[in-house]
Amino acid sequence: MSHPDFKFLPNLRDHLFEVVFGTETRAGKLFDIVLLWAIVLSVLAVMLESVTEIRQSFGDVFLILEWTFTVLFTIEYLLRLFITAKPGRYAFSFFGIIDLLATVPTYLTLFVAGGSYLVVIRSIRLLRIFRILKLGRYLREASVLSSALVASRHKIFVFLGAVFTLVMIMGTLMYMIEGGESGFTSIPRSIYWAIVTITTVGYGDIAPQTVTGQAVASMLMLMGYAIIAVPTGIVTSEIAQAEKNKKTEESNVRQCVACGKKGHDEDAIYCKNCSAKL
Amino acid sequence: MSHPDFKFLPNLRDHLFEVVFGTETRAGKLFDIVLLWAIVLSVLAVMLESVTEIRQSFGDVFLILEWTFTVLFTIEYLLRLFITAKPGRYAFSFFGIIDLLATVPTYLTLFVAGGSYLVVIRSIRLLRIFRILKLGRYLREASVLSSALVASRHKIFVFLGAVFTLVMIMGTLMYMIEGGESGFTSIPRSIYWAIVTITTVGYGDIAPQTVTGQAVASMLMLMGYAIIAVPTGIVTSEIAQAEKNKKTEESNVRQCVACGKKGHDEDAIYCKNCSAKL
Amino acid sequence: MSHPDFKFLPNLRDHLFEVVFGTETRAGKLFDIVLLWAIVLSVLAVMLESVTEIRQSFGDVFLILEWTFTVLFTIEYLLRLFITAKPGRYAFSFFGIIDLLATVPTYLTLFVAGGSYLVVIRSIRLLRIFRILKLGRYLREASVLSSALVASRHKIFVFLGAVFTLVMIMGTLMYMIEGGESGFTSIPRSIYWAIVTITTVGYGDIAPQTVTGQAVASMLMLMGYAIIAVPTGIVTSEIAQAEKNKKTEESNVRQCVACGKKGHDEDAIYCKNCSAKL
Amino acid sequence: MSHPDFKFLPNLRDHLFEVVFGTETRAGKLFDIVLLWAIVLSVLAVMLESVTEIRQSFGDVFLILEWTFTVLFTIEYLLRLFITAKPGRYAFSFFGIIDLLATVPTYLTLFVAGGSYLVVIRSIRLLRIFRILKLGRYLREASVLSSALVASRHKIFVFLGAVFTLVMIMGTLMYMIEGGESGFTSIPRSIYWAIVTITTVGYGDIAPQTVTGQAVASMLMLMGYAIIAVPTGIVTSEIAQAEKNKKTEESNVRQCVACGKKGHDEDAIYCKNCSAKL
């Protein structure tokens, strides 16, 4: 017996794939936009629920909303697993893991209380927005930024290592100088203070009171002043480099067939080296 | 009957236009300087009025001042509308809208209390100062700055998106770790704390008290330390680029004698436009 | 009658000039070092005197010290006026004015109380240290820095103008949103808060309490985050430019006598263009 | 009588040297890894001991741990002194001094109380980690960073001098304006406030309350805003320079076939050293 579904199902699957994963068709675009709004609403719901007054008035509404969104996202996750040709590859991809993690917290609340706030992880799913809006330009800029950060990761590790050693020594020093009255009650807490100070955050919940302590703190601040220049310098020089590479690449596409010279301007009609027509 | 006004009025209008919009004539300059001082005084008056002690002593004076300035600015706005050749174009231009908004708040106070402080929007009108002082140089520098910012807007959006996702996740995490005692009473409030921390503002009205909370906060601060380098790097590399472009343009003396095309590379031997020898 | 002093006095004056203004001779160096220490000690004395406990115990000592230093500095100032060839030029030079201002505050205390702290202005005199230590290198670096700052002054004015307008509008907005309970008692005070926030100082003495206020404050902070990148970008690009100019200047000194090509490396023996000996 | 140890001992010493100082052999690697963990544990122990609750419960455990680690590190230090060919050179090297200082604090506690916290200096020993992991790349990056900092040290000194003078004058001014009520109780304390403000740390333990004080503080903050750009600019331009130098060195493939001299400019036609055609 011929199975009519045999031919239908793959087509349905192809069609669904186009809708769920694709962004080219009208339906695919609509699906993604609805999905993004659902994510935004579900994250907003969790945030509002955390405000005591709102929870007391509309607690039930939020409970229903949360479960509705979670069930929807679970169906969507299973659908993605089903319609993709390689489910394993999707399941262990970056977005696959995020998609799974975005549904788990609500189920967790059946066993453990308070886990529901973790659904905020759904906000990472919003990064899909760049794909939908066909923001190729944004993706390219993001790749400039990330390649600059990747290129500077060794320098940043060296830098963070130096900062961490400095912070440990200065924190211990301040613990010995200040003692418990002004908040330096232990070395870990003093190190926390040193980090708060060197990053120029400066809450003021812990602040030196003795003259010696204030002098050492001033030194740490001025050091932080000079030190904050270092990561900026690293990233700036890498971004400038990444920009230049991108430009060189783009302008190196045009090559003269006569003399082989590369690097022609975009508006060039003749080779600047041998006058052959490009 | 010939109408003498027919010829006079356009002349008056031209003359007024020169005075109100122009900055070349003596009268035009004087008009603008008087206007700027009136703006400064009216903004100062609103500010001083907001100080309780001053309002209680001189409340009536400020009320009279405010209405005087508002009537003057209204007359000025109507005058501008009347004397310009294309009133619609002025009315919907940047300065046209600001000029209108600068008069509205005081009239609003007839119906709604407290709106009068919005006249501070008049301070935007002070930007005209660059035109009066013939600060062409300033305008050019401003255009370097703004073109650098425009060129880097895609990178900055990507960056702000990443920062916002990070801040939402860290804020929720801290809400779960710290609880209400140390000020983390809801997720929106915790996100506010995360923004205060990552931008290194650090008010200290909300600050982590538990050891875990302080450890997570330290991580957020060190991240903020590395992250603050990114917008700086973006803007710096764009400003450097904008500067270079300006310079290239200025020093672009290489011109093809055959076709007049400018902008040839330094190593170019033939014109890239018409293949003539340079 | 020949006047022996006629010849002697100019010589004494020349000699004194060498000692007081010069830094080449042994005596001139010694004079400057003694002077610097006197300045450091007199400033330190004023600082310590401001500490209540120290003033109560050693008040008389500090009074004597202050008058001793002031008389010495007055004598030094008169000496400088006397021995320099052009007293007027010295009196109105940067250091001449500072030298005078450094002696005045103590005399002021005879008429007005509390003025003595102004002698801290003496610390500016310490800048002479760069001259004594023959820190030509430092002076050159300082000139790179200051020429970079001078070159970027137009951009910085434009930038400060934009920041000031933004701060005035945001401050007024927060005054209207927050009201007096959380510290926003008047518009000038709210503008002060906006400056504290946008510069990421963040004392926390005034901080928004309402949800709307915290949302607007978050926006201001993220703006400040992007805005702080601008002066950095300006100064960085100018410093890079100033550095490049310095280097180009240095390397442009060497010119080939055969072909006129400039820009040879410091270790070059032959012209890289025509192989002629440099 | 032949002494068998005579031959054995040098070998043992060579072998030990390979283990203790080397990182190539399996044993050498293991030794370094065990050492690093011992350092981490001993520093952690000191930190935890400073927390009052933990000290009260496990005080004895930490005392034993501290002495065990100290004896181990002392043995290690003596071993290093014994097996190195030039003990004096090691003893006065950077790591030699740190290794000694890392053992001293615990012995100090026999005579002086509270000195034991200084063992946190051991954390500097962790910098050896870069050697073990054969992080040549990290060392090269560190050398880029440090050469950039060294190259910019003159500019940074000039900058710190200017900042210090500014901070002294502003601090004194604020002491005169604010008086003791708002925390400006003495000039040194006001200078501490000025440093806290100009570095944008902003604890808020001392904050201006008067209108004049807040106006002056606003000026200081905006100055700090512009000033923080300077060290960033300095370091950025130096890092970019250091990067360029590194790259020039690496890609310096142009070598004169006649004299072997490298480092020719891209536009060079003749060797700058021997005038041979390149």
Side-chain angles (χ1 to χ4, degrees):
Chain A
M1 191 182 93
S2 83
H3 202 314
D5 283 345
F6 186 73
K7 276 194 102 167
F8 169 69
L9 260 172
N11 281 350
L12 173 68
R13 201 167 139 178
D14 280 4
H15 184 66
L16 274 172
F17 186 86
E18 195 55 50
V19 172
V20 174
F21 281 95
T23 57
E24 297 298 309
T25 61
R26 208 191 154 103
K29 220 167 190 168
L30 190 72
F31 178 84
D32 273 335
I33 288 168
V34 170
L35 181 63
L36 283 181
W37 277 108
I39 295 168
V40 167
L41 286 177
S42 74
V43 169
L44 266 181
V46 168
M47 287 188 178
L48 290 177
E49 199 212 340
S50 75
V51 183
T52 316
E53 301 89 57
I54 297 179
R55 187 172 50 235
Q56 283 166 349
S57 313
F58 308 99
D60 294 343
V61 180
F62 284 115
L63 201 68
I64 294 164
L65 270 178
E66 206 174 309
W67 277 103
T68 314
F69 280 125
T70 304
V71 168
L72 283 174
F73 288 144
T74 311
I75 293 170
E76 183 225 336
Y77 179 69
L78 296 174
L79 200 65
R80 280 180 190 269
L81 267 186
F82 172 70
I83 61 176
T84 188
K86 298 175 179 171
R89 206 167 161 184
Y90 164 70
F92 292 104
S93 72
F94 175 72
F95 272 117
I97 291 166
I98 296 294
D99 290 354
L100 178 62
L101 288 178
T103 59
V104 168
T106 316
Y107 296 113
L108 267 181
T109 54
L110 295 178
F111 311 103
V112 193
S116 70
Y117 297 126
L118 285 172
V119 301
V120 86
I121 212 169
R122 279 174 192 161
S123 56
I124 299 179
R125 298 189 71 189
L126 292 174
L127 294 178
R128 283 167 198 271
I129 206 165
F130 291 121
R131 247 190 32 206
I132 305 167
L133 303 175
K134 292 215 194 113
L135 300 175
R137 173 174 282 276
Y138 285 90
L139 286 178
R140 245 177 303 139
E141 299 294 6
S143 92
V144 167
L145 282 190
S146 66
S147 76
L149 286 176
V150 165
S152 56
R153 71 187 182 288
H154 294 113
K155 282 204 211 69
I156 284 176
F157 279 136
V158 168
F159 169 72
L160 280 183
V163 166
F164 216 76
T165 309
L166 178 64
V167 151
M168 275 168 71
I169 290 169
M170 294 301 277
T172 308
L173 209 61
M174 287 300 281
Y175 171 68
M176 291 167 66
I177 292 169
E178 283 284 325
E181 286 90 52
S182 36
F184 297 82
T185 48
S186 67
I187 292 184
R189 211 174 141 83
S190 301
I191 291 174
Y192 163 73
W193 167 86
I195 293 175
V196 168
T197 299
I198 211 171
T199 58
T200 78
V201 171
Y203 287 132
D205 52 347
I206 315 170
Q209 297 299 333
T210 64
V211 174
T212 330
Q214 290 180 346
V216 173
S218 299
M219 266 175 51
L220 184 63
M221 282 171 223
L222 288 173
M223 272 188 226
Y225 212 46
I227 283 173
I228 209 169
V230 176
T232 311
I234 295 169
V235 174
T236 304
S237 103
E238 291 298 342
I239 286 180
Q241 196 54 46
E243 283 284 348
K244 205 184 286 174
N245 289 348
K246 205 183 66 176
K247 237 161 241 162
T248 312
E249 232 165 72
E250 278 168 5
S251 75
N252 262 349
V253 179
R254 293 193 85 184
Q255 186 173 10
C256 175
V257 286
C259 72
K261 179 100 182 170
K262 282 179 182 177
H264 298 287
D265 292 344
E266 279 179 40
D267 62 339
I269 302 171
Y270 298 98
C271 174
K272 65 184 178 184
N273 193 42
C274 71
S275 83
K277 192 149 193 171
L278 286 173
Chain B
M1 188 183 95
S2 83
H3 201 313
D5 282 345
F6 187 74
K7 276 193 103 168
F8 169 69
L9 259 174
N11 281 351
L12 173 68
R13 201 167 139 178
D14 279 5
H15 184 66
L16 273 172
F17 185 87
E18 196 54 52
V19 171
V20 175
F21 281 95
T23 57
E24 297 299 309
T25 62
R26 208 191 154 101
K29 221 167 188 167
L30 192 70
F31 177 85
D32 273 335
I33 288 168
V34 169
L35 182 62
L36 283 181
W37 277 108
I39 294 167
V40 167
L41 286 177
S42 76
V43 170
L44 265 182
V46 168
M47 287 189 179
L48 290 176
E49 199 212 342
S50 75
V51 183
T52 316
E53 301 87 58
I54 297 179
R55 188 173 49 236
Q56 283 166 349
S57 313
F58 308 100
D60 293 344
V61 180
F62 284 115
L63 201 68
I64 294 164
L65 269 178
E66 207 173 309
W67 277 103
T68 314
F69 281 124
T70 303
V71 168
L72 283 174
F73 289 143
T74 311
I75 292 170
E76 184 225 337
Y77 179 70
L78 295 174
L79 200 65
R80 279 179 191 270
L81 267 187
F82 172 70
I83 61 176
T84 189
K86 300 175 179 170
R89 206 168 160 183
Y90 164 70
F92 292 103
S93 73
F94 175 72
F95 273 118
I97 292 166
I98 295 294
D99 289 354
L100 178 61
L101 288 178
T103 60
V104 168
T106 316
Y107 296 113
L108 266 181
T109 55
L110 295 178
F111 312 102
V112 193
S116 71
Y117 297 126
L118 286 171
V119 301
V120 87
I121 212 169
R122 280 175 192 161
S123 57
I124 300 180
R125 297 190 71 189
L126 292 174
L127 295 179
R128 284 169 197 271
I129 204 164
F130 291 121
R131 249 191 30 209
I132 305 168
L133 303 175
K134 293 219 193 113
L135 300 174
R137 172 175 283 276
Y138 285 90
L139 285 179
R140 244 178 304 139
E141 299 293 5
S143 92
V144 167
L145 281 190
S146 65
S147 76
L149 285 176
V150 165
S152 56
R153 74 187 179 288
H154 294 113
K155 282 204 211 69
I156 284 176
F157 278 137
V158 169
F159 169 73
L160 280 183
V163 165
F164 215 76
T165 309
L166 177 66
V167 150
M168 274 169 71
I169 291 169
M170 294 301 276
T172 308
L173 209 62
M174 287 300 281
Y175 171 68
M176 290 167 66
I177 292 170
E178 282 283 326
E181 285 91 52
S182 34
F184 296 82
T185 48
S186 68
I187 293 184
R189 210 174 142 82
S190 300
I191 291 174
Y192 164 71
W193 167 84
I195 293 175
V196 168
T197 299
I198 210 171
T199 57
T200 78
V201 171
Y203 287 132
D205 52 347
I206 314 171
Q209 297 299 332
T210 64
V211 174
T212 330
Q214 290 180 346
V216 173
S218 298
M219 267 175 51
L220 184 64
M221 283 171 221
L222 288 174
M223 273 187 225
Y225 212 46
I227 284 172
I228 209 171
V230 175
T232 312
I234 295 168
V235 176
T236 304
S237 103
E238 292 298 342
I239 287 180
Q241 195 56 45
E243 283 283 349
K244 207 185 283 172
N245 289 349
K246 206 184 66 177
K247 235 161 243 162
T248 310
E249 236 164 69
E250 279 169 2
S251 71
N252 221 336
V253 282
R254 269 198 112 181
Q255 187 174 11
C256 175
V257 286
C259 71
K261 177 97 184 171
K262 280 179 183 177
H264 298 286
D265 292 344
E266 277 180 42
D267 62 338
I269 303 171
Y270 299 99
C271 174
K272 64 185 177 183
N273 193 42
C274 70
S275 83
K277 193 145 192 175
L278 286 172
Chain C
M1 188 183 98
S2 83
H3 201 312
D5 282 346
F6 187 74
K7 273 194 105 168
F8 168 69
L9 258 174
N11 281 350
L12 174 66
R13 200 167 141 180
D14 279 5
H15 184 67
L16 273 173
F17 185 86
E18 196 54 51
V19 170
V20 174
F21 282 94
T23 58
E24 297 299 310
T25 61
R26 208 190 154 102
K29 219 166 189 167
L30 192 70
F31 178 84
D32 273 335
I33 287 168
V34 169
L35 181 62
L36 282 181
W37 277 108
I39 295 168
V40 167
L41 286 177
S42 75
V43 170
L44 264 182
V46 169
M47 288 189 179
L48 290 176
E49 199 211 341
S50 75
V51 183
T52 316
E53 302 88 57
I54 297 179
R55 187 173 50 237
Q56 283 168 347
S57 313
F58 308 101
D60 294 344
V61 180
F62 284 114
L63 201 68
I64 294 165
L65 269 177
E66 207 174 308
W67 277 104
T68 315
F69 281 124
T70 303
V71 168
L72 283 175
F73 289 143
T74 311
I75 293 171
E76 183 224 336
Y77 179 70
L78 295 174
L79 199 65
R80 279 178 191 271
L81 267 187
F82 172 71
I83 62 176
T84 190
K86 299 174 179 173
R89 204 168 161 184
Y90 163 71
F92 292 103
S93 72
F94 175 72
F95 272 118
I97 292 166
I98 295 295
D99 289 354
L100 179 60
L101 287 179
T103 59
V104 168
T106 316
Y107 296 113
L108 267 180
T109 54
L110 295 179
F111 311 103
V112 192
S116 71
Y117 296 126
L118 285 171
V119 301
V120 87
I121 213 170
R122 279 173 192 164
S123 58
I124 299 179
R125 298 190 70 188
L126 293 174
L127 294 177
R128 283 168 197 270
I129 204 165
F130 291 120
R131 247 193 31 210
I132 304 166
L133 303 175
K134 291 215 195 118
L135 299 175
R137 172 174 283 276
Y138 286 90
L139 285 178
R140 244 178 303 142
E141 298 294 5
S143 92
V144 167
L145 282 190
S146 65
S147 76
L149 286 175
V150 165
S152 55
R153 73 187 179 288
H154 294 114
K155 282 205 211 69
I156 284 176
F157 278 137
V158 169
F159 169 72
L160 280 183
V163 166
F164 215 76
T165 309
L166 177 65
V167 150
M168 274 169 71
I169 291 169
M170 294 301 277
T172 308
L173 209 62
M174 287 300 281
Y175 171 68
M176 291 167 67
I177 292 170
E178 283 283 326
E181 286 91 52
S182 34
F184 296 82
T185 49
S186 68
I187 292 184
R189 208 173 144 83
S190 300
I191 291 174
Y192 164 71
W193 167 85
I195 294 175
V196 168
T197 299
I198 212 171
T199 56
T200 77
V201 171
Y203 286 133
D205 51 348
I206 314 171
Q209 298 298 332
T210 65
V211 173
T212 329
Q214 290 180 346
V216 173
S218 298
M219 266 176 50
L220 185 64
M221 282 171 221
L222 289 174
M223 272 187 227
Y225 212 45
I227 284 173
I228 208 169
V230 175
T232 312
I234 296 168
V235 175
T236 303
S237 102
E238 292 297 344
I239 287 180
Q241 197 55 45
E243 283 284 347
K244 206 185 283 174
N245 290 350
K246 206 183 68 177
K247 236 160 241 162
T248 311
E249 231 164 73
E250 277 169 5
S251 76
N252 262 351
V253 179
R254 296 193 82 185
Q255 186 174 10
C256 175
V257 285
C259 71
K261 178 103 184 166
K262 280 178 182 177
H264 298 287
D265 293 343
E266 279 180 41
D267 62 339
I269 303 170
Y270 298 98
C271 173
K272 64 184 177 183
N273 194 43
C274 70
S275 83
K277 193 146 192 174
L278 286 172
Chain D
M1 189 183 94
S2 83
H3 201 314
D5 282 346
F6 186 72
K7 275 193 105 167
F8 168 70
L9 258 173
N11 280 350
L12 173 67
R13 201 167 141 179
D14 279 5
H15 185 66
L16 274 173
F17 185 86
E18 195 55 50
V19 171
V20 174
F21 282 94
T23 58
E24 297 298 310
T25 61
R26 209 190 153 102
K29 220 166 189 168
L30 190 72
F31 177 85
D32 273 335
I33 288 169
V34 169
L35 181 62
L36 283 181
W37 277 108
I39 294 167
V40 167
L41 287 177
S42 74
V43 170
L44 266 182
V46 169
M47 287 189 178
L48 290 177
E49 200 211 341
S50 75
V51 183
T52 316
E53 302 88 55
I54 297 179
R55 186 172 51 237
Q56 283 167 347
S57 311
F58 308 98
D60 293 344
V61 180
F62 285 115
L63 200 69
I64 294 164
L65 270 177
E66 207 174 307
W67 276 104
T68 313
F69 281 124
T70 304
V71 168
L72 283 174
F73 289 143
T74 311
I75 293 170
E76 182 224 338
Y77 179 70
L78 295 174
L79 200 65
R80 280 178 190 272
L81 267 186
F82 172 70
I83 62 177
T84 189
K86 297 174 179 172
R89 205 167 162 185
Y90 163 70
F92 292 104
S93 73
F94 175 71
F95 272 117
I97 292 165
I98 295 294
D99 290 353
L100 178 61
L101 288 179
T103 60
V104 168
T106 316
Y107 296 112
L108 267 181
T109 54
L110 296 178
F111 311 103
V112 193
S116 70
Y117 296 125
L118 286 171
V119 300
V120 87
I121 213 169
R122 278 172 193 163
S123 57
I124 300 179
R125 299 190 69 188
L126 292 174
L127 294 178
R128 283 167 197 270
I129 206 165
F130 291 120
R131 247 192 31 207
I132 303 167
L133 302 175
K134 290 212 193 117
L135 300 175
R137 172 174 283 276
Y138 284 91
L139 286 178
R140 245 178 303 141
E141 298 294 6
S143 92
V144 168
L145 282 189
S146 66
S147 76
L149 287 175
V150 165
S152 55
R153 71 186 180 288
H154 294 113
K155 282 205 210 70
I156 284 176
F157 278 136
V158 169
F159 170 72
L160 280 183
V163 166
F164 216 75
T165 309
L166 177 65
V167 150
M168 274 168 70
I169 290 169
M170 294 301 276
T172 308
L173 209 61
M174 287 300 281
Y175 171 68
M176 290 167 67
I177 292 171
E178 283 283 327
E181 286 90 50
S182 35
F184 297 82
T185 48
S186 68
I187 292 183
R189 208 173 144 84
S190 300
I191 291 175
Y192 163 72
W193 167 86
I195 293 175
V196 167
T197 298
I198 211 172
T199 57
T200 78
V201 170
Y203 287 132
D205 52 348
I206 315 170
Q209 298 299 331
T210 66
V211 174
T212 331
Q214 291 180 345
V216 173
S218 298
M219 267 174 51
L220 184 63
M221 282 170 221
L222 288 173
M223 272 187 224
Y225 212 45
I227 284 172
I228 208 169
V230 176
T232 311
I234 295 168
V235 175
T236 303
S237 103
E238 292 298 343
I239 286 180
Q241 196 54 46
E243 283 283 347
K244 206 185 283 174
N245 290 350
K246 205 184 68 177
K247 235 161 242 161
T248 311
E249 234 164 71
E250 278 168 3
S251 71
N252 221 334
V253 282
R254 270 198 112 180
Q255 188 173 9
C256 175
V257 286
C259 71
K261 179 95 182 173
K262 282 180 183 177
H264 299 287
D265 293 344
E266 278 180 41
D267 62 339
I269 303 171
Y270 299 99
C271 175
K272 65 186 179 185
N273 193 42
C274 70
S275 84
K277 192 149 190 171
L278 287 172

